[in-house]
Amino acid sequence: MSRRPARAARPRAVDGAVTATDRVLTLPNLISFVRLLGVPVFLWLFLVVEADVAAIVVLAAGGTSDWVDGWIARRLGQVSRLGELLDPLADRLYILATLLAFTAREVVPWQFTAALLARELLLLGSLGVLRRYGYGPPPVHYVGKTATFLILAAFPVLLLAAATTSVTATTAGAVGWGLAWWGLVLYWVAGAMYVVQATRLVRAVRPGAAT
């Protein structure tokens, strides 16, 4: 039973037409490491010293650079297995850290936070099932990347709305929540797609394991 899934998981090294390598020191990986370092910096700025303007800058940099590491990796042929792990890890840490911080300071309601966290729990459950059958994480789908980009783009705009007043706050709030709700919907769509993919993989393995 353990051998079949292990062989089936090998094609995961291929991302589209580009084969992932074991390289560590690449420009895309460096960008991902810098994005990871931005998470504690944002939390310190936002929760400890309450420097909202600086926190907005860190959030905007982390959100807008979300696609940069992947684009550079494909452009320069530097797709790596480490990068395939670091990129979604940085995305999730930014989202989770920002959600918890925003909820603590009441920038976003707890219902929005709960909806995003529920999706993460669903995905964690699916990954646990895949790991049990010998599969690694599924490749990131463009729907999930789009959802992540929208949510990360919404956060600094929502913070701008909370940190300002009058017309600027109203406009930023409308734009920010528009991005946030579209991102949330696509986030759940991507989650459902991952669950369907995991279900198909598990069903494909079970008959072979039974024999």
Side-chain angles (χ1 to χ4, degrees):
M1 176 176 174
S2 60
R3 280 189 245 172
R4 282 182 180 269
R7 289 198 302 267
R10 287 180 184 173
R12 290 253 313 105
V14 178
D15 181 14
V18 182
T19 301
T21 68
D22 293 322
R23 294 179 61 187
V24 174
L25 298 178
T26 66
L27 180 57
N29 288 348
L30 176 61
I31 295 173
S32 295
F33 276 122
V34 172
R35 292 184 66 219
L36 285 172
L37 292 176
V39 174
V41 172
F42 161 74
L43 291 174
W44 179 75
L45 290 171
F46 188 66
L47 295 177
V48 179
V49 299
E50 297 190 1
D52 290 351
V53 174
I56 290 174
V57 173
V58 174
L59 265 185
T64 54
S65 62
D66 173 41
W67 61 273
V68 173
D69 48 4
W71 182 84
I72 291 178
R74 292 185 296 271
R75 186 77 174 180
L76 301 181
Q78 295 184 352
V79 176
S80 66
R81 294 180 180 86
L82 178 62
E84 290 177 342
L85 295 175
L86 284 179
D87 186 32
L89 176 62
D91 291 343
R92 283 184 172 81
L93 284 180
Y94 259 103
I95 290 175
L96 292 176
T98 307
L99 274 177
L100 295 177
F102 276 21
T103 305
R105 286 189 51 184
E106 299 182 347
V107 176
V108 299
W110 67 265
Q111 292 91 339
F112 184 83
T113 301
L116 278 177
L117 292 180
R119 188 269 191 184
E120 290 299 317
L121 291 175
L122 175 68
L123 189 58
L124 282 176
S126 299
L127 292 176
V129 172
L130 286 175
R131 186 176 296 276
R132 179 182 176 185
Y133 284 90
Y135 291 101
V140 178
H141 197 275
Y142 76 91
V143 175
K145 291 296 294 181
T146 302
T148 300
F149 177 79
L150 289 174
I151 292 172
L152 290 176
F155 285 153
V157 182
L158 291 174
L159 182 53
L160 178 63
T164 56
T165 57
S166 67
V167 178
T168 302
T170 303
T171 304
V175 173
W177 280 114
L179 292 171
W181 286 115
W182 270 111
L184 178 61
V185 170
L186 289 179
Y187 214 51
W188 271 97
V189 170
M193 293 171 65
Y194 292 139
V195 170
V196 170
Q197 183 179 1
T199 302
R200 289 175 177 172
L201 289 173
V202 170
R203 286 178 176 174
V205 169
R206 279 179 174 171
T211 59

